[in-house]
Amino acid sequence: MASKASAILGFGAIGIGAISQCLYNVDPGEAAIIFDKFVGVKSNVYGEGTHMKIPFIQEPIIFDIKSRPRSVPVTTGSKDLQTVNLTLRILFFFYDTVMTLIYTNIGLDFDERILPSIVDEVLKSVVAKYDASELITQRDAVSNNVADDLTNRAETFGIFLDDISITHLTFGSDFARAVESKQVAQQEAERSRYFVEKAEFEKKAAITSAEGDAEAAKMLSDAFDKVGDSLIELRKMEAAEDIAANLAGSRNVVYLPKDKGMLLNLPA
């Protein structure tokens, strides 16, 4: 009886093992195609769920069909021969209808084999059209050109791009030194212009002052011509009045008559 029970358990284990060899699971966000050792890669695509296969003859090839990010660094040259370091971030996916084509022509590691090469190709082609300064001032236009060219290039391999953005953009040390030298030259030019404008202002101020002095001298000359010496006599009288007022307030000043002498009792 015990041997019969053991046999049943043995057949049951074999049956479960055989059934498990005939089934495979596809998780959410994945899809599968079948490689048949007799006919090759089959065109049918299987979505999420549990599916059947022929053991030892068929093997499921499972793809991750969710959108995935990837960053690709590239070093290239600009139109004015400056070294440019860029990092491009892309969000890519592919439709399950092209899985057979991708697996047959590229393989499961398509993102490693295709994306870096086409990103490098497109970035070098686009960046070469712009000067280093234009890559900064026209960054939106550069991004749009890269996105258009890269999207078209990726679609030829059955890869589709959701988002493309330049996340890193730097230049070589030569460009940094050139920018610094340009800034210094601009500051020196601004300083020179300031001194020129200051000298011009001072020159105009001196001319204006000289013209004012000349005008004042002319007015005085015209006044003297009209009144003769009367103005001079008036100024003398005003000065004499000021002097007399100052002397009158002093106790040590004695006034002597103009026409009469003064006897001084001096000892003989």
Side-chain angles (χ1 to χ4, degrees), residues 76-180:
T76 183
S78 63
K79 184 178 180 180
D80 54 352
L81 304 181
Q82 296 294 335
T83 301
V84 185
N85 303 307
L86 304 100
T87 299
L88 192 70
R89 182 185 182 276
I90 57 179
L91 194 64
F92 69 96
F93 71 99
F94 59 91
Y95 294 110
D96 55 11
T97 54
V98 298
M99 286 174 50
T100 302
L101 176 66
I102 290 178
Y103 181 74
T104 303
N105 296 330
I106 304 173
L108 284 174
D109 58 343
F110 65 94
D111 55 329
E112 292 288 345
R113 300 175 62 182
I114 297 301
L115 292 178
S117 62
I118 64 175
V119 168
D120 184 80
E121 173 190 343
V122 170
L123 279 179
K124 287 183 177 180
S125 174
V126 173
V127 171
K129 300 176 183 178
Y130 295 88
D131 293 336
S133 58
E134 293 175 341
L135 292 174
I136 300 174
T137 58
Q138 303 180 27
R139 186 161 179 167
D140 290 341
V142 175
S143 297
N144 291 335
N145 288 343
V146 170
D148 292 340
D149 293 353
L150 188 58
T151 298
N152 294 333
R153 191 77 176 90
E155 286 179 358
T156 61
F157 295 95
I159 302 172
F160 300 89
L161 306 180
D162 268 342
D163 180 67
I164 303 171
S165 59
I166 299 175
T167 59
H168 178 74
L169 175 62
T170 59
F171 300 93
S173 57
D174 292 340
F175 180 76
R177 286 193 294 268
V179 170
E180 183 178 357

Side-chain angles (χ1 to χ4, degrees), residues 8-29:
I8 294 173
L9 290 175
F11 284 119
I14 294 173
I16 293 173
I19 293 174
S20 65
Q21 289 293 321
C22 297
L23 301 176
Y24 66 93
N25 293 323
V26 179
D27 296 330

